[in-house]
Coordinates of all heavy atoms in Angstrom, one line a residue:
M25 N -0.3 -18.1 55.1 CA -1.1 -17.1 54.4 C -0.3 -16.3 53.4 O -0.9 -15.6 52.7 CB -1.7 -16.1 55.5 CG -2.8 -16.7 56.3 SD -4.2 -17.3 55.3 CE -5.2 -15.9 55.3
P26 N 1.1 -16.4 53.4 CA 1.8 -15.6 52.4 C 1.5 -16.0 51.0 O 1.6 -15.2 50.1 CB 3.3 -15.9 52.7 CG 3.4 -16.7 53.9 CD 2.0 -17.1 54.3
F27 N 1.0 -17.2 50.8 CA 0.7 -17.6 49.4 C -0.6 -16.9 48.9 O -0.8 -16.7 47.7 CB 0.5 -19.2 49.4 CG -0.7 -19.6 50.1 CD1 -1.9 -19.8 49.5 CD2 -0.7 -20.0 51.5 CE1 -3.1 -20.2 50.1 CE2 -1.8 -20.4 52.1 CZ -3.0 -20.6 51.5
V28 N -1.4 -16.4 49.8 CA -2.6 -15.6 49.4 C -2.2 -14.3 48.7 O -2.7 -14.0 47.6 CB -3.5 -15.3 50.6 CG1 -4.6 -14.4 50.2 CG2 -4.0 -16.6 51.2
W29 N -1.2 -13.7 49.2 CA -0.7 -12.4 48.6 C 0.0 -12.7 47.3 O -0.2 -12.0 46.3 CB 0.4 -11.7 49.5 CG -0.3 -11.1 50.7 CD1 -0.1 -11.5 52.0 CD2 -1.3 -10.1 50.7 NE1 -0.9 -10.8 52.8 CE2 -1.7 -9.8 52.1 CE3 -1.9 -9.3 49.8 CZ2 -2.5 -8.9 52.4 CZ3 -2.8 -8.3 50.1 CH2 -3.1 -8.1 51.5
T30 N 0.6 -13.9 47.2 CA 1.2 -14.3 45.9 C 0.1 -14.5 44.9 O 0.2 -14.1 43.7 CB 2.0 -15.6 46.1 OG1 3.1 -15.3 47.1 CG2 2.7 -15.9 44.8
L31 N -0.9 -15.2 45.3 CA -2.1 -15.4 44.4 C -2.8 -14.2 43.9 O -3.2 -14.0 42.8 CB -3.1 -16.4 45.0 CG -2.6 -17.9 45.2 CD1 -3.7 -18.7 45.9 CD2 -2.2 -18.5 43.8
V32 N -2.9 -13.2 44.9 CA -3.6 -12.0 44.6 C -2.7 -11.2 43.6 O -3.2 -10.6 42.6 CB -3.8 -11.1 45.9 CG1 -4.2 -9.7 45.6 CG2 -4.9 -11.8 46.8
L33 N -1.4 -11.1 43.8 CA -0.5 -10.4 42.9 C -0.5 -11.0 41.6 O -0.5 -10.4 40.5 CB 0.9 -10.4 43.5 CG 1.2 -9.3 44.6 CD1 2.5 -9.5 45.1 CD2 0.9 -7.9 44.1
L34 N -0.5 -12.4 41.5 CA -0.6 -13.1 40.2 C -1.9 -12.8 39.5 O -1.9 -12.5 38.3 CB -0.5 -14.6 40.5 CG -0.4 -15.5 39.2 CD1 0.8 -15.2 38.4 CD2 -0.4 -17.0 39.7
A35 N -3.0 -12.8 40.2 CA -4.3 -12.5 39.6 C -4.3 -11.0 39.1 O -4.8 -10.8 37.9 CB -5.4 -12.7 40.6
V36 N -3.8 -10.1 39.8 CA -3.8 -8.7 39.4 C -2.8 -8.6 38.2 O -3.2 -7.9 37.2 CB -3.3 -7.8 40.6 CG1 -2.9 -6.4 40.0 CG2 -4.3 -7.7 41.6
G37 N -1.7 -9.2 38.2 CA -0.9 -9.2 37.0 C -1.5 -9.8 35.8 O -1.3 -9.3 34.7
L38 N -2.2 -10.9 35.9 CA -2.9 -11.5 34.8 C -4.0 -10.6 34.2 O -4.1 -10.4 33.1 CB -3.5 -12.8 35.2 CG -2.4 -14.0 35.3 CD1 -3.1 -15.3 35.8 CD2 -1.8 -14.3 34.0
V39 N -4.7 -9.9 35.1 CA -5.8 -9.0 34.7 C -5.2 -7.9 34.0 O -5.6 -7.4 32.9 CB -6.6 -8.5 35.9 CG1 -7.5 -7.4 35.5 CG2 -7.5 -9.7 36.5
L40 N -4.1 -7.3 34.5 CA -3.4 -6.2 33.8 C -2.8 -6.6 32.5 O -2.9 -5.9 31.5 CB -2.2 -5.7 34.7 CG -1.5 -4.5 34.2 CD1 -2.4 -3.3 34.0 CD2 -0.3 -4.2 35.1
L41 N -2.3 -7.8 32.4 CA -1.8 -8.3 31.1 C -2.9 -8.5 30.1 O -2.7 -8.1 28.9 CB -1.1 -9.7 31.3 CG -0.5 -10.3 30.1 CD1 0.6 -9.5 29.5 CD2 0.0 -11.7 30.4
V42 N -4.0 -9.0 30.4 CA -5.1 -9.2 29.5 C -5.6 -7.8 29.1 O -5.9 -7.6 27.9 CB -6.3 -10.0 30.2 CG1 -7.6 -9.9 29.4 CG2 -5.9 -11.5 30.4
F43 N -5.7 -6.9 30.0 CA -6.2 -5.5 29.7 C -5.2 -4.9 28.6 O -5.7 -4.3 27.6 CB -6.2 -4.7 30.9 CG -6.4 -3.2 30.7 CD1 -7.8 -2.8 30.3 CD2 -5.5 -2.3 30.8 CE1 -8.0 -1.4 30.1 CE2 -5.7 -0.9 30.5 CZ -6.9 -0.5 30.2
L44 N -3.9 -5.0 28.9 CA -3.0 -4.4 27.9 C -3.0 -5.1 26.6 O -2.8 -4.5 25.6 CB -1.5 -4.5 28.5 CG -1.3 -3.5 29.7 CD1 0.1 -3.8 30.3 CD2 -1.5 -2.1 29.3
L45 N -3.1 -6.4 26.6 CA -3.2 -7.2 25.3 C -4.5 -6.8 24.5 O -4.4 -6.6 23.3 CB -3.2 -8.7 25.6 CG -1.9 -9.3 25.9 CD1 -2.0 -10.7 26.3 CD2 -0.9 -9.2 24.8
V46 N -5.6 -6.7 25.2 CA -6.8 -6.3 24.4 C -6.6 -4.9 23.9 O -7.0 -4.6 22.8 CB -8.0 -6.3 25.4 CG1 -9.2 -5.6 24.8 CG2 -8.3 -7.8 25.7
R47 N -6.1 -4.0 24.7 CA -5.9 -2.6 24.2 C -4.9 -2.5 23.1 O -5.2 -1.8 22.1 CB -5.4 -1.7 25.4 CG -5.4 -0.3 25.1 CD -5.1 0.6 26.3 NE -5.0 1.9 25.9 CZ -5.2 3.0 26.6 NH1 -5.6 2.8 27.8 NH2 -5.0 4.2 26.2
T48 N -3.9 -3.3 23.1 CA -2.9 -3.3 22.0 C -3.5 -3.9 20.7 O -3.3 -3.3 19.7 CB -1.7 -4.2 22.4 OG1 -1.1 -3.6 23.6 CG2 -0.7 -4.3 21.3
V49 N -4.3 -4.9 20.9 CA -5.0 -5.5 19.7 C -6.0 -4.5 19.1 O -6.0 -4.3 17.8 CB -5.8 -6.8 20.1 CG1 -6.7 -7.2 18.9 CG2 -4.8 -7.9 20.4
L50 N -6.7 -3.7 19.9 CA -7.6 -2.7 19.4 C -6.8 -1.6 18.7 O -7.3 -1.1 17.6 CB -8.5 -2.2 20.5 CG -9.5 -3.1 21.1 CD1 -10.2 -2.5 22.3 CD2 -10.5 -3.6 20.1
E51 N -5.7 -1.2 19.2 CA -4.9 -0.1 18.6 C -4.3 -0.6 17.3 O -4.2 0.1 16.3 CB -3.8 0.3 19.5 CG -4.3 1.2 20.7 CD -5.0 2.5 20.3 OE1 -4.5 3.1 19.3 OE2 -6.0 2.8 20.8
V52 N -3.9 -1.8 17.3 CA -3.3 -2.4 16.0 C -4.4 -2.5 14.9 O -4.2 -2.1 13.7 CB -2.8 -3.8 16.2 CG1 -2.5 -4.5 14.9 CG2 -1.5 -3.7 17.0
R53 N -5.6 -2.8 15.3 CA -6.7 -2.8 14.3 C -7.0 -1.4 13.8 O -7.2 -1.2 12.6 CB -8.0 -3.4 14.9 CG -8.1 -4.9 15.1 CD -9.4 -5.3 15.6 NE -9.4 -6.7 15.8 CZ -10.4 -7.4 16.4 NH1 -11.4 -6.7 16.8 NH2 -10.4 -8.7 16.6
R54 N -7.0 -0.5 14.7 CA -7.2 0.9 14.3 C -6.2 1.4 13.4 O -6.4 2.1 12.4 CB -7.3 1.8 15.6 CG -7.6 3.2 15.4 CD -7.9 3.9 16.7 NE -7.6 5.3 16.6 CZ -7.1 6.1 17.5 NH1 -6.8 5.6 18.6 NH2 -6.9 7.3 17.3
F55 N -4.9 1.1 13.7 CA -3.8 1.5 12.8 C -3.9 0.8 11.4 O -3.7 1.5 10.4 CB -2.5 1.1 13.5 CG -1.3 1.4 12.6 CD1 -0.8 2.6 12.5 CD2 -0.6 0.4 11.9 CE1 0.3 2.9 11.7 CE2 0.4 0.6 11.2 CZ 0.9 1.9 11.0
K56 N -4.2 -0.4 11.4 CA -4.4 -1.1 10.1 C -5.5 -0.5 9.3 O -5.4 -0.4 8.1 CB -4.6 -2.6 10.3 CG -3.4 -3.4 10.7 CD -3.7 -4.9 10.8 CE -2.5 -5.7 11.1 NZ -2.7 -7.1 11.2
R57 N -6.6 -0.2 10.0 CA -7.7 0.5 9.2 C -7.3 1.8 8.6 O -7.6 2.1 7.5 CB -8.9 0.7 10.2 CG -10.1 1.1 9.5 CD -11.3 1.3 10.5 NE -11.4 0.2 11.5 CZ -11.4 0.5 12.8 NH1 -11.5 1.8 13.2 NH2 -11.5 -0.5 13.7
A58 N -6.5 2.6 9.4 CA -6.0 3.9 8.9 C -5.0 3.7 7.8 O -5.0 4.4 6.8 CB -5.4 4.7 10.0
Q59 N -4.2 2.7 7.9 CA -3.2 2.4 6.9 C -3.9 1.9 5.6 O -3.5 2.4 4.5 CB -2.3 1.3 7.4 CG -1.2 0.9 6.4 CD -0.3 -0.2 7.0 OE1 -0.7 -1.0 7.8 NE2 0.9 -0.3 6.5
R60 N -4.9 1.1 5.7 CA -5.6 0.7 4.5 C -6.3 1.9 3.8 O -6.3 2.0 2.6 CB -6.7 -0.4 4.9 CG -6.3 -1.8 4.5 CD -7.4 -2.8 4.8 NE -7.2 -3.3 6.2 CZ -8.0 -3.3 7.1 NH1 -9.2 -2.8 6.9 NH2 -7.8 -3.8 8.3
S61 N -6.9 2.7 4.6 CA -7.5 3.9 4.1 C -6.6 4.8 3.4 O -6.8 5.3 2.3 CB -8.2 4.7 5.2 OG -8.8 5.8 4.7
A62 N -5.4 5.0 4.0 CA -4.3 5.9 3.3 C -3.8 5.2 2.0 O -3.6 5.9 1.0 CB -3.2 6.1 4.3
A63 N -3.7 3.9 2.0 CA -3.2 3.2 0.8 C -4.2 3.3 -0.3 O -3.9 3.5 -1.5 CB -2.9 1.8 1.1
H64 N -5.5 3.2 0.1 CA -6.6 3.3 -0.9 C -6.6 4.7 -1.5 O -6.8 4.8 -2.7 CB -7.9 2.9 -0.3 CG -9.1 2.9 -1.2 ND1 -9.2 2.0 -2.2 CD2 -10.1 3.7 -1.3 CE1 -10.3 2.2 -2.9 NE2 -10.9 3.3 -2.4
D65 N -6.5 5.7 -0.7 CA -6.5 7.1 -1.1 C -5.3 7.4 -2.0 O -5.5 8.0 -3.1 CB -6.5 8.0 0.1 CG -6.7 9.4 -0.3 OD1 -7.6 9.7 -1.1 OD2 -5.9 10.3 0.2
L66 N -4.2 6.8 -1.6 CA -3.0 7.0 -2.5 C -3.2 6.3 -3.8 O -2.8 6.9 -4.9 CB -1.8 6.5 -1.8 CG -0.4 6.7 -2.5 CD1 -0.1 8.1 -2.7 CD2 0.7 6.0 -1.7
A67 N -3.7 5.1 -3.8 CA -3.9 4.4 -5.1 C -4.9 5.2 -6.0 O -4.7 5.3 -7.2 CB -4.5 3.0 -4.8
D68 N -6.0 5.7 -5.4 CA -6.9 6.5 -6.2 C -6.3 7.7 -6.8 O -6.4 8.1 -8.0 CB -8.1 7.0 -5.3 CG -9.1 5.9 -5.0 OD1 -9.0 4.9 -5.7 OD2 -10.0 6.1 -4.1
R69 N -5.4 8.4 -6.0 CA -4.8 9.7 -6.5 C -3.8 9.3 -7.6 O -3.6 10.1 -8.6 CB -4.1 10.4 -5.3 CG -5.1 11.1 -4.4 CD -4.4 11.7 -3.2 NE -5.4 12.2 -2.3 CZ -5.4 13.5 -1.8 NH1 -4.5 14.3 -2.3 NH2 -6.3 13.8 -1.0
S70 N -3.0 8.3 -7.4 CA -2.0 7.9 -8.4 C -2.7 7.5 -9.7 O -2.2 7.7 -10.8 CB -1.1 6.8 -7.9 OG -1.8 5.6 -7.7
G71 N -3.9 6.8 -9.6 CA -4.6 6.5 -10.8 C -5.1 7.7 -11.5 O -5.1 7.7 -12.8
M72 N -5.5 8.7 -10.8 CA -6.0 9.9 -11.4 C -4.8 10.6 -12.1 O -4.9 11.2 -13.2 CB -6.6 10.9 -10.4 CG -7.9 10.4 -9.8 SD -9.2 10.3 -11.2 CE -9.4 12.0 -11.6
V73 N -3.6 10.6 -11.5 CA -2.4 11.2 -12.1 C -2.1 10.5 -13.4 O -1.8 11.1 -14.4 CB -1.2 11.3 -11.1 CG1 0.0 11.6 -11.9 CG2 -1.5 12.2 -10.0
K74 N -2.1 9.1 -13.4 CA -1.9 8.4 -14.6 C -2.9 8.7 -15.6 O -2.5 8.8 -16.8 CB -1.8 6.8 -14.3 CG -0.6 6.4 -13.4 CD -0.7 5.0 -13.1 CE 0.4 4.5 -12.2 NZ 0.3 3.1 -11.8
A75 N -4.1 8.7 -15.3 CA -5.1 9.1 -16.3 C -5.0 10.5 -16.9 O -5.1 10.7 -18.1 CB -6.6 9.0 -15.7
R76 N -4.6 11.4 -16.1 CA -4.3 12.8 -16.6 C -3.1 12.8 -17.6 O -3.1 13.5 -18.6 CB -4.1 13.7 -15.4 CG -5.4 14.1 -14.7 CD -5.1 15.0 -13.6 NE -6.3 15.3 -12.9 CZ -6.4 15.9 -11.7 NH1 -5.2 16.3 -11.1 NH2 -7.5 16.1 -11.1
A77 N -2.1 12.0 -17.2 CA -0.9 12.0 -18.0 C -1.2 11.4 -19.3 O -0.8 11.8 -20.4 CB 0.2 11.2 -17.3
A78 N -2.0 10.3 -19.3 CA -2.4 9.6 -20.6 C -3.3 10.6 -21.4 O -3.2 10.6 -22.6 CB -3.2 8.3 -20.2
G79 N -4.2 11.3 -20.8 CA -5.0 12.3 -21.5 C -4.2 13.4 -22.1 O -4.4 13.8 -23.3
L80 N -3.1 13.8 -21.4 CA -2.2 14.9 -22.0 C -1.5 14.3 -23.2 O -1.3 15.0 -24.2 CB -1.3 15.3 -21.0 CG -1.8 16.3 -19.9 CD1 -0.8 16.6 -18.8 CD2 -2.2 17.6 -20.6
K81 N -1.0 13.1 -23.1 CA -0.3 12.4 -24.3 C -1.2 12.3 -25.4 O -0.8 12.7 -26.6 CB 0.2 11.0 -23.9 CG 1.4 11.1 -22.9 CD 1.8 9.7 -22.6 CE 2.9 9.7 -21.5 NZ 3.3 8.3 -21.2
V82 N -2.5 12.0 -25.3 CA -3.4 11.9 -26.4 C -3.6 13.3 -27.0 O -3.7 13.5 -28.2 CB -4.8 11.3 -25.9 CG1 -5.8 11.4 -26.9 CG2 -4.5 9.8 -25.6
A83 N -3.9 14.3 -26.1 CA -4.1 15.6 -26.6 C -2.9 16.2 -27.4 O -3.0 16.8 -28.4 CB -4.4 16.5 -25.4
I84 N -1.7 15.9 -26.9 CA -0.5 16.4 -27.6 C -0.3 15.7 -28.9 O 0.0 16.4 -29.9 CB 0.7 16.2 -26.7 CG1 0.7 17.2 -25.5 CG2 2.0 16.4 -27.4 CD1 1.7 16.9 -24.4
S85 N -0.6 14.4 -28.9 CA -0.5 13.7 -30.2 C -1.5 14.2 -31.2 O -1.2 14.2 -32.4 CB -0.5 12.2 -30.0 OG -1.8 11.8 -29.6
Q86 N -2.7 14.5 -30.8 CA -3.8 15.0 -31.6 C -3.4 16.3 -32.2 O -3.7 16.7 -33.3 CB -5.1 15.0 -30.9 CG -5.7 13.6 -30.7 CD -7.0 13.7 -30.0 OE1 -7.4 14.7 -29.4 NE2 -7.7 12.5 -29.9
R87 N -2.8 17.2 -31.4 CA -2.4 18.5 -31.8 C -1.3 18.5 -32.9 O -1.3 19.2 -33.8 CB -2.0 19.3 -30.7 CG -3.0 20.2 -30.1 CD -2.4 21.1 -29.0 NE -1.8 22.3 -29.5 CZ -2.4 23.5 -29.5 NH1 -3.5 23.7 -28.9 NH2 -1.8 24.5 -30.0
R88 N -0.4 17.5 -32.7 CA 0.7 17.4 -33.6 C 0.2 16.9 -35.0 O 0.8 17.2 -36.0 CB 1.8 16.4 -33.1 CG 2.5 17.1 -32.0 CD 3.7 16.2 -31.5 NE 4.4 16.8 -30.4 CZ 5.2 16.2 -29.6 NH1 5.5 14.9 -29.8 NH2 5.9 16.8 -28.7
R89 N -0.8 16.0 -35.0 CA -1.4 15.4 -36.2 C -2.1 16.5 -37.0 O -2.2 16.5 -38.2 CB -2.2 14.3 -35.9 CG -1.4 13.0 -35.8 CD -2.4 11.8 -35.8 NE -2.5 11.4 -34.4 CZ -3.6 10.8 -33.9 NH1 -4.6 10.5 -34.6 NH2 -3.6 10.4 -32.6
G90 N -2.9 17.3 -36.3 CA -3.7 18.1 -37.2 C -4.0 19.4 -36.5 O -4.4 20.4 -36.8

C-alpha cells in the first residue's frame, strides 16, 4: 500500500504544477497587455511631441521670412 501514497503525492504535485502554470500564463498575458498599452501610449505621446516640434519649426521659419 505504500505505492498509493506515492501516487497520491504525485497526483497532488501534478495538480499543483498545472495550477501554477495556468496562473503564470495568465499573469504573463496580463503583463504583456499592460506593456503593449504603455508602449502604444508612449508612441502616441512621442508622436505628439514630434508634431509640436515640427509646428514650432514652421512657425519660427515663417516669422523669420516675414
Side-chain angles (χ1 to χ4, degrees):
M25 289 301 270
F27 68 91
V28 173
W29 290 112
T30 303
L31 292 177
V32 168
L33 284 175
L34 184 63
V36 169
L38 286 174
V39 168
L40 183 62
L41 180 64
V42 168
F43 172 76
L44 291 175
L45 284 174
V46 168
R47 188 168 175 157
T48 301
V49 167
L50 291 176
E51 287 297 321
V52 167
R53 282 185 185 171
R54 186 172 153 214
F55 176 76
K56 283 185 178 181
R57 192 178 318 129
Q59 184 182 21
R60 259 185 266 125
S61 175
H64 183 70
D65 186 46
L66 182 63
D68 283 349
R69 289 176 186 232
S70 66
M72 290 298 293
V73 170
K74 288 178 185 177
R76 286 180 184 166
L80 284 173
K81 286 179 185 178
V82 168
I84 290 170
S85 69
Q86 286 176 349
R87 264 186 84 105
R88 287 186 180 164
R89 273 191 260 154

